[in-house]
Amino acid sequence: MKKIVLLLITLLLMIGLGYPGGTGQAAAAAAPKYTEISTFVDGTLMISASKSVLVNGLAYVPVKLLNQIPGFTVATAASVVTLTGSKGSAKLNKDNSILYKNSNYVAFKTLLKLGAIDGKYATSSYSLFIWSTEEGKIKSNSMLYAISKLPGTMGQAVGKKVYLYAHPGSHWVTDVQYEDDTNTSTFTMLSEAGLTWTLDLDDSETDTLYTEENLFAFKENFNGDSAWAVNAKIPDSPFNKKLSEFPHF
């Protein structure tokens, strides 16, 4: 793996170190933390405004996405939501669901009990993999294996919308594969124009990936500040020089 990088923002940790003590801190620690995660069904990324979430270590899936998971139906009557799978039915309640952004979310472990599905949460990529067929299981496990081969925090780009130097617009990372014979990793990208292309991570010398969270953190914490950037891919860039070529003072 060469110089391709997924930037991580540590400012929230730095801010946390300066948080005042007292009851306010205890209350904040007790409040549940909602982390949005990617969802793959039978190896296909579910691109939706409603994303699965991780709450206190448990994964929850938006009820709105259940129509894309084979074998499940949803019925609503008198404000009661009932989920039905091949193994049984269950009504949503405080023990098996949460309300997030004014939408119902069901616990993934509840879906496992109700339907003929299986799955796994990949902690290094913040992604939930669900499969309902043998083909879906093989494809999912292939991606999980590839994620395990990615260096550092690169797995966090899988299933996310990212922005890259020299590639205008945004791109979804819809797949990742690893070849044992050549020890190479590739991302399958989907551009906002709907074009699918492959990013060979080992051939990418200076591409840098930024997630939407990265850019939001930059905007919140660095807006208005001066910054220097070096990008050799910008034609006639005044920064397109080796460090030794810059004047010394």
Side-chain angles (χ1 to χ4, degrees), residues 1 139 141-151 175-188 198-202:
M1 186 66 59
K139 187 173 182 180
N141 283 324
S142 176
M143 293 182 65
L144 287 166
Y145 176 69
I147 290 171
S148 72
K149 293 295 183 178
L150 293 172
D175 194 5
V176 56
Q177 293 299 319
Y178 179 80
E179 294 293 337
D180 285 305
D181 294 340
T182 56
N183 296 323
T184 58
S185 299
T186 57
F187 279 167
T188 299
T198 299
L199 177 65
D200 189 330
L201 303 185
D202 295 278

Side-chain angles (χ1 to χ4, degrees), residues 5-130:
V5 180
L6 176 65
L7 183 64
L8 292 182
I9 300 299
T10 59
L11 291 174
L12 293 179
L13 177 59
M14 296 169 61
I15 293 171
L17 293 176
Y19 196 95
T23 57
Q25 184 177 11
K33 178 182 178 181
Y34 297 85
T35 302
E36 293 189 350
I37 60 179
S38 307
T39 307
F40 289 84
V41 177
D42 287 327
T44 299
L45 175 64
M46 299 291 100
I47 299 177
S48 169
S50 298
K51 297 179 176 59
S52 297
V53 294
L54 197 68
V55 186
N56 296 331
L58 298 177
Y60 291 81
V61 178
V63 172
K64 292 180 180 179
L65 283 186
L66 293 188
N67 63 344
Q68 299 183 60
I69 302 178
F72 286 97
T73 59
V74 181
T76 303
S79 299
V80 176
V81 179
T82 302
L83 309 181
T84 301
S86 60
K87 298 179 182 178
S89 299
K91 293 179 173 61
L92 293 189
N93 55 50
K94 63 180 182 62
D95 296 321
N96 61 20
S97 66
I98 61 170
L99 189 66
Y100 176 65
K101 292 185 176 180
N102 297 317
S103 295
N104 288 312
Y105 283 65
V106 59
F108 177 55
K109 64 179 183 180
T110 297
L111 295 180
L112 291 175
K113 294 177 181 178
L114 297 179
I117 62 170
D118 202 350
K120 180 179 181 179
Y121 172 67
T123 56
S124 61
S125 69
Y126 294 101
S127 297
L128 178 64
F129 288 83
I130 302 172

Side-chain angles (χ1 to χ4, degrees), residues 24 33 43 58 82 134 141 149 166 221-222 224 227 231 234 240 244:
K33 178 182 178 181
L58 298 177
T82 302
E134 186 63 26
N141 283 324
K149 293 295 183 178
N221 296 284
F222 295 108
N231 187 353
I234 299 178
N240 189 7
S244 60

Side-chain angles (χ1 to χ4, degrees), residues 109-240:
K109 64 179 183 180
T110 297
L111 295 180
L112 291 175
K113 294 177 181 178
L114 297 179
I117 62 170
D118 202 350
K120 180 179 181 179
Y121 172 67
T123 56
S124 61
S125 69
Y126 294 101
S127 297
L128 178 64
F129 288 83
I130 302 172
W131 54 83
S132 63
T133 65
E134 186 63 26
E135 180 181 357
K137 177 181 179 180
I138 293 173
K139 187 173 182 180
S140 299
N141 283 324
S142 176
M143 293 182 65
L144 287 166
Y145 176 69
I147 290 171
S148 72
K149 293 295 183 178
L150 293 172
T153 59
M154 185 58 66
Q156 295 180 18
V158 177
K160 310 301 187 300
K161 180 189 287 187
V162 299
Y163 300 83
L164 299 88
Y165 281 160
H167 297 278
S170 61
H171 307 259
W172 288 94
V173 181
T174 61
D175 194 5
V176 56
Q177 293 299 319
Y178 179 80
E179 294 293 337
D180 285 305
D181 294 340
T182 56
N183 296 323
T184 58
S185 299
T186 57
F187 279 167
T188 299
M189 315 293 291
L190 177 65
S191 73
E192 59 187 28
L195 299 177
T196 299
W197 58 285
T198 299
L199 177 65
D200 189 330
L201 303 185
D202 295 278
D203 287 341
S204 301
E205 289 283 353
T206 56
D207 283 331
T208 304
L209 280 70
Y210 297 88
T211 65
E212 289 186 306
E213 291 78 11
N214 294 150
L215 296 181
F216 179 78
F218 275 131
K219 179 180 178 181
E220 288 294 302
N221 296 284
F222 295 108
N223 190 27
D225 292 339
S226 298
W228 293 86
V230 177
N231 187 353
K233 290 190 176 183
I234 299 178
D236 301 322
S237 169
F239 307 114
N240 189 7

